[in-house]
Amino acid sequence: MSVALITGASRGLGQALARELSARGWSLILDARGADALDQTVSSLRGGPVVAVVGDVSSPDHRAELAAAIAQAGRLDLLVNNASHLGPSPQPQLADYPLDELARVYEVDVLAPVALTQLALPWLAASGGVLINVTSDAAVQAYEGWGGYGSAKAALDQVTAVLAAEQPGIACYAFDPGDMRTQMHQQAFPGEDISDRPEPETVVPALLQLLDDRPPSRRFSSTELCATVHAR
Ligand SMILES: NC(=O)c1ccc[n+]([C@@H]2O[C@H](COP(=O)([O-])OP(=O)(O)OC[C@H]3O[C@@H](n4cnc5c(N)ncnc54)[C@H](OP(=O)(O)O)[C@@H]3O)[C@@H](O)[C@H]2O)c1
């Protein structure tokens, strides 16, 4: 049975992906900080076994618990570094960005994925598995106000690219899901009506395409992947 670890799986994209992989019979290790929402997500899954580990990805102790859950499962085929921290809302310009807030964005969006990947790499190497780091168009577009989160995602993109060069035995993808109607998106656009944004479930087929087709490691956007899904 294939085993996936998805961070930030209690809502949004992480939850939508967990639902689909569970339905496909995958065994899942899921995390989030909020215990109630994570429990509700686990209860709603109808598939393979699920281990929920409550905690903050930026905590070394929590990451050690996640590593223990992998060891308990005995294998790992997929790590999805999906949990993310936007920073202050509304997002400040870099000229005024509080440095402690910036450090927190980098801690959650860059250092935690690197640290968790370090723990997961032996397992992914053993299974010839897949690493997916969830990025953003803010990593490559210079939007006013997005300098903290966007530069952190740019660092995550480069981390993913270097891991791909260093770890030829596994597939390493940076995946940009595009705009989604989620709590993080609402936080990024406080007070705005975001009801025209697509639900996170619409992005999951693109992620599954990466798993099914296993193209060479690189950065992908959901729009390019969905275009090839629809062209089939
Ligand atoms: N929504 C968009 O438009 C959009 C666009 C581009 C990229 N993305 C990326 O897509 C990914 C998913 O975002 P989303 O919109 O689905 O977000 P979301 O709906 O806000 O969900 C975020 C998930 O991550 C968990 N989380 C947050 N901080 C955490 C931490 N420090 N440790 C552990 N879990 C944590 C949250 O649960 P708790 O709060 O309980 O911990 C929740 O389960 C992120 O990487 C984001 O950067 C989103």
Side-chain angles (χ1 to χ4, degrees):
M1 184 186 293
S2 297
V3 179
L5 165 51
I6 307 170
T7 65
S10 64
R11 60 175 187 264
L13 178 61
Q15 183 189 61
L17 177 62
R19 286 225 169 91
E20 197 55 44
L21 291 182
S22 181
R24 286 182 166 210
W26 282 60
S27 174
L28 299 178
I29 302 165
L30 308 178
D31 96 334
R33 291 165 302 173
D36 290 350
L38 190 59
D39 281 351
Q40 282 169 23
T41 297
V42 171
S43 309
S44 72
L45 298 177
R46 300 275 173 272
V50 188
V51 174
V53 186
V54 175
D56 187 322
V57 285
S58 67
S59 155
D61 288 348
H62 173 60
R63 292 194 299 264
E65 289 176 354
L66 291 172
I70 299 171
Q72 183 71 32
R75 64 178 291 134
L76 187 71
D77 300 276
L78 171 66
L79 168 62
V80 185
N81 284 308
N82 168 75
S84 177
H85 183 64
L86 179 72
S89 173
Q91 297 182 85
Q93 295 203 346
L94 282 175
D96 308 311
Y97 211 113
L99 293 182
D100 57 340
E101 302 266 19
L102 187 59
R104 174 70 184 154
V105 172
Y106 274 70
E107 193 180 23
V108 176
D109 292 356
V110 187
L111 294 178
V114 171
L116 194 52
T117 301
Q118 288 175 342
L119 296 173
L121 267 178
W123 297 98
L124 290 175
S127 66
V130 177
L131 167 69
I132 298 178
N133 287 329
V134 182
T135 182
S136 165
D137 67 328
V140 290
Q141 300 290 332
Y143 302 123
E144 189 181 342
W146 289 77
Y149 171 87
S151 63
K153 291 293 192 182
L156 184 63
D157 278 3
Q158 184 67 351
V159 159
T160 315
V162 173
L163 280 167
E166 293 176 347
Q167 305 290 334
I170 67 172
C172 299
Y173 304 122
F175 175 76
D176 170 12
D179 286 357
M180 300 176 292
R181 197 184 318 163
T182 66
Q183 186 167 314
M184 174 182 268
H185 196 83
Q186 187 67 75
Q187 192 192 344
F189 298 94
E192 277 191 39
D193 177 8
I194 62 164
S195 60
D196 61 338
R197 272 53 153 202
E199 296 279 8
E201 286 73 14
T202 62
V203 170
V204 173
L207 280 166
L208 296 178
Q209 193 193 343
L210 286 178
L211 299 180
D212 291 343
D213 294 356
R214 246 189 111 130
S217 297
R218 69 170 173 88
R219 187 186 201 279
F220 287 90
S221 72
S222 68
T223 36
E224 69 173 306
L225 287 164
C226 286
T228 55
V229 169
H230 290 134
R232 285 178 181 172

